[in-house]
Amino acid sequence: MRFLYPLSALLLLGQLASAQSVTTPASPDSAVRVTTVAPVVAVTPPEKDKDKKEKPSFIPVPIAFYQQETGFAGGLAILPVWRFGTDTTVRKSNVRLLGWISQKKQTTLQLTHNIFTPEEKFFFSGELSYYDLVFSYYGRGNDTRKSDEVKIKYPLFVFDEKALAKVVPNLFVGLRYRLTNLGDVKLKDPVDQGNNPLNVYNRLSSQERSGGITSGLGPALLYDGRDNVLATYTGNYVDAHMLFNGSALGSDYKFTRYQVDARHFNPLFGSNNTILALQFLGQYHSGSVPFRELGSMGATLGGSLYNNTYLMRGIYEARFRDRQFTTFQAEIRQKLFWRFDGAAFLGVGQVGYKLSDYSFDGTKFAGGVGARFRFNRRDRLNIRLDYGVGSGGNSGIIFAVGEAF
């Protein structure tokens, strides 16, 4: 699902241009529209105050947008960023709380967080969300056709939490638990689409159409050597976990998930003006995986499933999905002038029932260009506007706060 907010960018730039001498508050990654509500600003402390505790960056942000599936929608986001204590080697924590309701009675309530405790002894990351939305669904597999598209709707509750303890600097180990509760999956237009036994909705099993619970627990490992988690110049990041879903945990489906998310960031040409960002993500399953939990490319809803990253920008949300999913993306981030930066990105990926189903001809592509505006120089937080095109006959504009990965 793509959110289009061109007006919000103009309003936000207007506010910032009138306050160049201050640092505007930060926020974690989200797609929001800023209106004329005056921001709370945090002035950079003078030299003598460096040992004092830094005040959190905090701003409530009105949300408004329009898209075909929802009609007009509005809501509010609360986006604090802070650091525990005065030790500047401790990375900043961030939370995103947002909620909106649409003209067509669709709803999203989402709370995501990334929290480093004092001395980074512990790290907590996760999501608590409720969605009631409409999506385009194309079926399973790497060769689904645009002509197979149907509109489906369902309510979804998600609780996902990683609790990790520091082993050595930058390395954390612990557990991850993920629960999803999916309500009835229905066709948005059953009169027009429900009578065709061959459409992709009717190929879903009766159990999948009835929703159900997935509940999984497993070990998790995180190496996070990034210099800044909001917009990285240098460092490496590896997140790996396994989730065992089964009846002992209250799950209606028995399957195992293995996921690896690896990223590398490196300045080019001897300065931080040009940054090369690389990401590999693989999500692999065994067992009986419901359609909603399959690996899927084109994920732009945010949330914790893919560690708040945006994958295969230019491909519609979950346009291709199956049991095994592998993707790689690269991005060049270039300093331009004043607070403006540019970006160019390219992603490749593939899904399949088995890894042996992958083929060179089956590779999907997505890429595009984007603009960045340094919303908060202190916390290195960017407003992001990307335009992407990709396999499957899709393209889109994404306006968000924070880098894609």
Side-chain angles (χ1 to χ4, degrees):
M1 180 173 293
R2 274 93 175 137
F3 294 162
L4 309 184
Y5 305 99
L7 179 59
S8 64
L10 297 177
L11 291 170
L12 185 59
L13 292 180
Q15 289 180 331
L16 291 170
S18 64
Q20 296 179 24
S21 62
V22 299
T23 302
T24 310
S27 65
D29 189 282
S30 63
V32 297
R33 175 186 184 271
V34 179
T35 66
T36 55
V37 176
V40 179
V41 295
V43 179
T44 303
E47 196 75 21
K48 64 180 180 180
D49 292 335
K50 278 189 175 180
D51 293 332
K52 292 184 178 181
K53 187 175 180 179
E54 194 175 83
K55 293 182 179 181
S57 296
F58 180 87
I59 181 172
V61 181
I63 301 170
F65 61 90
Y66 174 86
Q67 53 189 21
Q68 184 177 357
E69 294 96 331
T70 63
F72 289 100
L76 187 70
I78 301 174
L79 311 164
V81 177
W82 76 96
R83 176 186 287 115
F84 284 104
T86 59
D87 183 359
T88 58
T89 64
V90 175
R91 280 163 288 194
K92 291 189 174 183
S93 301
N94 61 75
V95 169
R96 176 182 65 184
L97 173 62
L98 67 87
W100 56 260
I101 187 168
S102 78
Q103 179 185 8
K104 298 182 180 180
K105 298 182 180 180
Q106 297 183 52
T107 304
T108 288
L109 294 171
Q110 186 182 75
L111 172 67
T112 59
H113 62 276
N114 294 280
I115 297 174
F116 292 95
T117 66
E119 301 179 28
E120 296 193 356
K121 289 183 177 180
F122 298 96
F123 175 69
F124 300 95
S125 177
E127 171 188 6
L128 179 64
S129 299
Y130 173 79
Y131 306 95
D132 191 352
L133 302 173
V134 173
F135 292 94
S136 292
Y137 176 62
Y138 300 87
R140 307 181 193 214
N142 200 58
D143 299 312
T144 55
R145 301 173 301 180
K146 192 171 178 63
S147 60
D148 288 334
E149 175 187 355
V150 296
K151 299 288 186 181
I152 60 174
K153 59 181 181 178
Y154 51 77
L156 174 68
F157 171 82
V158 177
F159 173 74
D160 191 331
E161 186 67 33
K162 285 188 296 190
L164 309 178
K166 182 171 71 173
V167 178
V168 295
N170 297 331
L171 180 63
F172 303 83
V173 297
L175 293 173
R176 181 169 186 166
Y177 175 74
R178 181 174 176 86
L179 168 73
T180 69
N181 189 343
L182 180 66
D184 288 344
V185 180
K186 301 178 180 179
L187 282 169
K188 180 178 180 293
D189 302 308
V191 174
D192 298 331
Q193 300 175 330
N195 296 325
N196 180 3
L198 298 179
N199 79 33
V200 291
Y201 171 78
N202 288 324
R203 295 176 202 166
L204 293 172
S205 68
S206 59
Q207 182 184 18
E208 289 177 298
R209 291 199 297 268
S210 298
I213 292 174
T214 66
S215 177
L217 176 70
L221 177 148
L222 172 68
Y223 175 84
D224 193 346
R226 296 174 294 176
D227 65 321
N228 181 294
V229 299
L230 295 174
T232 308
Y233 288 162
T234 184
N236 296 299
Y237 171 98
V238 178
D239 176 276
H241 72 270
M242 292 186 292
L243 283 180
F244 302 96
N245 296 262
S247 57
L249 294 169
S251 179
D252 295 323
Y253 299 88
K254 184 178 180 180
F255 66 95
T256 303
R257 171 176 294 154
Y258 310 88
Q259 183 169 307
V260 177
D261 178 359
R263 311 178 196 180
H264 174 73
F265 304 88
N266 187 53
L268 302 179
F269 314 121
S271 76
N272 291 328
N273 290 334
T274 307
I275 304 297
L276 172 65
L278 304 172
Q279 181 188 27
F280 166 88
L281 189 140
Q283 187 185 78
Y284 311 108
H285 296 91
S286 62
S288 177
V289 190
F291 87 99
R292 180 59 183 73
E293 293 300 302
L294 294 169
S296 56
M297 64 178 67
T300 60
L301 272 180
S304 57
L305 180 60
Y306 297 126
N307 301 314
N308 304 303
T309 193
Y310 281 56
L311 300 174
M312 302 292 286
R313 284 164 284 171
I315 293 180
Y316 183 81
E317 181 84 25
R319 174 65 176 83
F320 302 97
R321 66 175 86 200
D322 215 322
R323 287 158 53 93
Q324 321 305 339
F325 170 42
T326 305
T327 184
F328 175 83
Q329 64 176 328
E331 182 169 282
I332 294 290
R333 301 167 184 171
Q334 177 63 49
K335 174 72 175 176
L336 298 178
F337 62 92
W338 191 48
R339 298 187 183 214
F340 288 98
D341 298 340
F345 52 90
L346 176 67
V348 296
Q350 193 161 168
V351 300
Y353 185 82
K354 300 177 294 184
L355 286 175
S356 59
D357 293 335
Y358 284 6
S359 67
F360 181 80
D361 292 340
T363 303
K364 308 302 181 187
F365 297 88
V369 295
R372 307 288 184 268
F373 183 82
R374 186 58 55 88
F375 175 64
N376 183 336
R377 286 185 289 193
R378 185 191 72 185
D379 294 324
R380 204 188 297 170
L381 178 70
N382 291 330
I383 301 295
R384 174 167 57 89
L385 182 67
D386 289 335
Y387 174 73
V389 297
S391 302
N394 293 117
S395 63
I397 297 173
I398 303 170
F399 179 77
V401 179
E403 295 294 348
F405 64 97

